[in-house]
Amino acid sequence: MSEKRDGVVLTAEQKRRQRSRNLAIAWALAALCVLFFVVTIAKLGPGVMNRPL
Amino acid sequence: MTLATDGMTTESRAAAGAFAGVSGGEVRDYVALLKPRVMSLVVFTALVGMVVAPGGVHPVIGFAALLAIAVGAGASGCLNMWWDADIDAVMTRTRGRPIPAGRIAADEALTFGLVLSAFSVFVLGVVSNWFAAAFLAFTIFFYAVVYSMWLKRWTAQNIVIGGAAGAFPPMIGEAVVTGTVGWPTFALFAIIFLWTPPHFWALALLKSGDYARAGVPMLPNVAGADATRRQILLYTLILAPAALVPVALGTGGLAYLAVAVVTGLAMVILAVNVYRRREGEAAARAAQQLFAFSILYLFLLFATLLAEHAFGLYAAVPGLAR
């Protein structure tokens, strides 16, 4: 089996779009982390870690 | 150019990378799938539902809940675009949308919509309560399945019944705050519900050719333009007094009363205008004016309630307890 499989080769335009989508997802995930942190504090208060195990 | 059954051209699909299993859309295409203009209306009316609700909610929780409601609304819009891609492809107003234009593959939009639906319902349940989350889930189901898949291509009453989906957000807003729903936000639901037919039928009068080409049974195509004009007038005559119900319930104060009376009268005048002018340029202009003003009308009613409750401008109507 010496046949070479190229797979999907993205064009420059497709790579650019992929990069912008990746950045948008990264920003959305970062924003969600901040949101969930702030919501946790708002719901449970600053003493969230201060409880018996 | 080859037009496939899903409305995408083979050329545009190849350009988007849809054949190769590669996403081809820009970020703005995914944003467009969420129907941002509808989303902004949903956020606005849900916010008003939250501020008129008895009691209060922590601003952070309120913000997170609104975000979840917005994403849920966007997800239902995305599922609607996935289902209606074939219709969108033949209508001038919608053929530039991401799926019919071939920038995003239909399957990708379906996945995007389903994931966002589940995520938004889960987040709303976690940050507020599960009744509000269930209400959001029902609203998404109502818009994507009951309206888009069932009513839209089947009956001329599609937007009358389907309008409920667009009218639920104030009630979801109240559910976030109180964990239940009451008459004040039911009155807001009724206003949006009664507003939807004159608003969309005014547009349908202008775009009846589009809807006929797409095979969507909008009222002007099924019952004729004159019957549609009569229905627009009837709904507006019910809508204008219905918009005063929040005053009777004590939700709307003096400012709201003034705005509801003045803008309600303007709506009735514009609806009468649509009813009377039935030919040519004047008829199209009348429908256009009603369509444009109906957006302003709903915005003013809800903005006044927001101003009264969120910025302390509420002054009770004499003789009516808050």
Side-chain angles (χ1 to χ4, degrees):
Chain A
M1 290 290 284
S2 59
E3 187 181 324
K4 189 183 167 192
R5 294 188 65 182
D6 287 331
V8 176
V9 179
L10 299 183
T11 65
E13 174 61 16
Q14 283 174 327
K15 279 183 183 166
R16 188 191 65 75
R17 290 182 181 194
Q18 190 180 51
R19 184 177 156 74
S20 68
R21 286 197 304 273
N22 290 347
L23 281 172
I25 292 169
W27 279 111
L29 286 174
L32 277 174
C33 289
V34 174
L35 182 74
F36 287 144
F37 175 76
V38 178
V39 164
T40 304
I41 299 299
K43 278 184 87 78
L44 301 176
V48 61
M49 299 298 284
N50 236 347
R51 57 192 177 132
L53 292 173
Chain B
M1 186 176 85
T2 319
L3 192 64
T5 50
D6 61 0
M8 288 172 72
T9 66
T10 46
E11 291 82 356
S12 59
R13 204 178 345 199
F19 281 133
V22 178
S23 299
E26 301 255 17
V27 173
R28 64 167 176 267
D29 293 322
Y30 293 87
V31 174
L33 278 180
L34 304 180
K35 296 193 175 181
R37 280 193 301 181
V38 175
M39 215 156 116
S40 62
L41 182 69
V42 167
V43 168
F44 181 54
T45 56
L47 173 65
V48 174
M50 285 168 82
V51 299
V52 303
V57 66
H58 191 290
V60 170
I61 303 298
F63 173 77
L66 273 182
L67 206 60
I69 293 169
V71 172
S76 65
C78 180
L79 293 172
N80 167 273
M81 281 205 206
W82 162 73
W83 183 257
D84 279 346
D86 58 335
I87 294 178
D88 288 348
V90 292
M91 289 177 50
T92 52
R93 189 172 67 87
T94 53
R95 64 182 171 209
R97 284 178 173 175
I99 303 173
R103 296 192 299 277
I104 289 182
D107 289 350
E108 201 182 350
L110 172 63
T111 310
F112 191 50
L114 288 176
V115 168
L116 288 186
S117 296
F119 187 69
S120 61
V121 169
F122 172 75
V123 170
L124 189 61
V126 169
V127 302
S128 63
N129 60 75
W130 291 101
F131 175 71
F135 207 154
L136 178 64
F138 176 70
T139 305
I140 295 171
F141 172 81
F142 199 91
Y143 186 67
V145 177
V146 176
Y147 169 70
S148 302
M149 296 182 185
W150 179 39
L151 295 170
K152 185 170 177 177
R153 300 173 195 228
W154 177 60
T155 169
Q157 296 299 312
N158 47 15
I159 55 107
V160 177
I161 310 165
F168 284 137
M171 298 178 84
I172 302 175
E174 181 179 9
V176 165
V177 177
T178 65
T180 183
V181 287
W183 289 113
T185 52
F186 182 76
L188 302 186
F189 163 86
I191 292 170
I192 304 175
F193 185 77
L194 291 169
W195 167 88
T196 306
H199 171 74
F200 276 107
W201 284 336
L203 177 70
L205 281 175
L206 294 164
K207 302 277 181 186
S208 59
D210 248 6
Y211 286 114
R213 211 166 28 252
V216 179
M218 290 299 278
L219 198 61
N221 307 107
V222 175
D226 287 350
T228 305
R229 290 189 173 91
R230 191 165 58 247
Q231 292 289 322
I232 286 175
L233 182 58
L234 285 173
Y235 270 95
T236 310
L237 287 173
I238 303 169
L239 169 65
L244 299 174
V245 172
V247 178
L249 293 171
T251 314
L254 271 174
Y256 178 83
L257 175 64
V259 169
V261 168
V262 173
T263 55
L265 277 174
M267 275 293 285
V268 170
I269 290 168
L270 290 171
V272 169
N273 209 24
V274 168
Y275 182 73
R276 289 179 60 191
R277 296 178 197 278
R278 301 182 175 207
E279 298 289 337
E281 189 63 28
R285 198 166 48 245
Q288 176 66 44
Q289 283 172 341
L290 178 66
F291 176 73
F293 185 76
S294 65
I295 299 169
L296 182 66
Y297 173 69
L298 198 68
F299 172 76
L300 286 175
L301 290 182
F302 279 75
T304 311
L305 283 176
L306 185 64
E308 283 187 333
H309 289 263
F311 305 115
L313 298 177
Y314 184 91
V317 177
L320 286 169
R322 186 177 183 179

